[in-house]
Amino acid sequence: MRRTTLKDVGDHVGVSAKTVSNVINGTGWVRDDLKARVREAIDELGYRPNSAARQLRSGRSGMVALAIPDLSQPYFAELASAIVAAAADRSITVLINQTNGQADAERRISDGVGIPVMDGLILSPLALTASDLADRQDSTPIVLLGEHVGESRFPHVTVENAAAARAATDYLLRSGRTRIAAIGAQATGPRETSELRLAGYRTALREAGIAEDPALIRQVIDFRRSDGVAAVDGLLAEGVPFDGVFAFNDLMALGALHALGEAGLRVPEDVAVVGFDDIEEGRYSTPPLTTVAPDKAALGSLALELLLSDSPAAGDTTVPYQIVSRMSA
């Protein structure tokens, strides 16, 4: 049976093979309605790109790798979904790898070990440093996500964590809360995210003229629901008064909501709660969670755009965020 070609798809729609190629590769300008018709024709005719021929022509494989710490964390799962969606718009396949934040796993994938030839790597490192990355044994283009990179010679896409945490704390302050617990300080392990969000919390208190109370800053081991529960339980057991909670991610905020409910405290009447990440689960908690919402779609699209650029600039690029007000604060 003869293989369906670009020309076959173009003839079916009434456009050139070049237009079909532009739709498949996300290049050039094609009207949205025409894109839809071309994609419908591709599905109808069963067109499949000849990957080997395309790689020979373009020097690209049509695949990129994504390495993130933990797919069981909703934020990383949703971020991966955003990157896959952005890649699909460009007809690019994403190979996803979970590193568990382990230095060896991050180093291996940054060196290209155990993965096929890729057009690029999007890496969210927790253990590798800028000097580790500078010594990587692979020339595949790389874009970094997250905070644990320091000064590096690679493009880096992130959220302004300190500014966003300051905004979240200020949101609670403007609602009349003055005893705000910060859940998410860390003493060990990769803690750049924690430190930036704690810095934003402290800045908001200082600007409001409120003295910091060390008893309100609660350390955690990880950013999970159980850490939020333990932090609130600790505050209550120690008799530390508090009327607000800023949790450094939504999972800990959800844990805090659970612990407050178990203790018979009303949210937000007795204690207001704000999280960070805007994971889908928080929209359906009881009550729905007020949170900092990074633009994950923009983060995914920008990371991919930088990765596929011919000469991406090194340094930080930030994506926008907003405070999504729901019923927990």
Side-chain angles (χ1 to χ4, degrees):
M1 183 176 179
R2 189 174 72 87
R3 186 187 185 98
T4 302
T5 66
L6 288 174
K7 185 177 184 303
D8 294 332
V9 176
D11 289 346
H12 187 80
V13 180
V15 298
S16 68
K18 175 62 175 173
T19 298
V20 177
S21 176
N22 285 340
V23 172
I24 291 172
N25 296 309
T27 56
W29 182 87
V30 182
R31 296 194 322 268
D32 288 343
D33 63 321
L34 195 52
K35 284 182 185 177
R37 288 168 53 203
V38 169
R39 286 171 178 155
E40 287 175 4
I42 287 171
D43 291 340
E44 181 180 340
L45 299 177
Y47 172 76
R48 296 294 179 270
N50 185 327
S51 298
R54 181 170 66 177
Q55 185 171 358
L56 286 172
R57 289 193 304 269
S58 66
R60 292 185 180 273
S61 69
M63 296 188 294
V64 300
L66 168 64
I68 54 179
D70 188 356
L71 278 168
S72 72
Q73 288 268 13
Y75 172 76
F76 288 120
E78 292 180 13
L79 177 58
S81 178
I83 291 171
V84 168
D89 286 342
R90 298 166 172 81
S91 298
I92 291 170
T93 299
V94 181
L95 175 67
I96 301 176
N97 186 285
Q98 178 173 281
T99 64
N100 295 310
Q102 300 297 312
D104 285 347
E106 293 177 354
R107 187 174 295 108
R108 283 173 61 83
I109 197 165
S110 71
D111 287 342
V113 177
I115 60 173
V117 175
M118 294 280 168
D119 294 333
L121 167 66
I122 299 173
L123 170 64
S124 178
L126 291 184
L128 295 189
T129 64
S131 60
D132 290 330
L133 289 163
D135 294 333
R136 63 190 291 253
Q137 302 299 304
D138 187 48
S139 61
T140 301
I142 186 170
V143 170
L144 302 172
L145 306 178
E147 288 68 54
H148 191 77
V149 288
E151 295 292 330
S152 86
R153 57 186 176 87
F154 301 108
H156 173 216
V157 185
T158 188
V159 179
E160 292 183 289
N161 275 285
R166 173 186 172 189
T169 308
D170 185 60
Y171 182 95
L172 287 164
L173 290 166
R174 286 188 287 107
S175 72
R177 315 294 165 151
T178 58
R179 298 279 303 169
I180 300 170
I183 298 178
Q186 291 181 300
T188 60
R191 54 184 187 273
E192 282 73 10
T193 297
S194 172
E195 289 175 348
L196 288 167
R197 294 179 188 179
L198 183 58
Y201 163 84
R202 286 171 163 157
T203 297
L205 293 183
R206 184 171 60 251
E207 291 176 344
I210 295 176
E212 178 185 320
D213 182 352
L216 289 170
I217 298 175
R218 313 306 290 193
Q219 287 195 359
V220 302
I221 297 173
D222 206 347
F223 275 30
R224 298 189 180 275
R225 297 170 186 84
S226 57
D227 294 283
V229 171
V232 168
D233 285 348
L235 288 165
L236 295 173
E238 295 166 25
V240 179
F242 63 105
D243 57 9
V245 166
F246 169 44
F248 292 3
N249 81 342
D250 282 354
L251 286 185
M252 291 189 293
L254 293 171
L257 287 179
H258 175 79
L260 291 167
E262 289 291 295
L265 293 169
R266 300 167 302 164
V267 177
E269 293 85 356
D270 299 321
V271 180
V273 179
V274 174
F276 198 119
D277 286 341
D278 190 29
I279 63 173
E280 186 175 11
E281 185 181 347
R283 301 167 203 173
Y284 303 101
S285 60
T286 303
L289 184 63
T290 296
T291 186
V292 176
D295 191 335
K296 292 189 279 285
L299 197 157
S301 181
L302 181 56
L304 199 62
E305 180 182 322
L306 287 168
L307 190 68
L308 300 177
S309 171
D310 290 333
S311 55
D316 296 346
T317 303
T318 58
V319 297
Y321 65 86
Q322 61 178 323
I323 304 293
V324 177
S325 179
R326 298 194 181 103
M327 296 176 66
S328 70

